[in-house]
Amino acid sequence: MPPSALCLVACHVWDTIGLQALGGKGALVTHGVNAPLVVPGLPQPDLTAPDLTALARLIVRNWGT
């Protein structure tokens, strides 16, 4: 399976950056304390949510059923 078909869900942005650097998607669960690392040229998470329930809703809304 190519990286472009995958999405890594993590609560640390550096984990999402790894798969995104390979062409995959990244989803960040912030738990109210973790935030995207906004640095020019650094991939930002494709989706960001405060918890897994909210992330699941975003995944369905953005990427299908």
Side-chain angles (χ1 to χ4, degrees):
M1 183 174 296
S4 61
L6 303 173
C7 177
L8 180 78
V9 174
C11 60
H12 298 105
V13 73
W14 55 80
D15 293 325
T16 64
I17 292 168
L19 183 59
Q20 288 178 284
L22 295 173
K25 291 182 170 66
L28 179 66
V29 179
T30 66
H31 295 293
V33 294
N34 296 328
L37 182 60
V38 182
V39 175
L42 196 64
Q44 295 302 301
D46 296 288
L47 299 175
T48 302
D51 56 48
L52 285 173
T53 301
L55 180 61
R57 288 184 185 116
L58 282 175
I59 288 171
V60 170
R61 187 179 317 135
N62 286 277
W63 297 330
T65 56

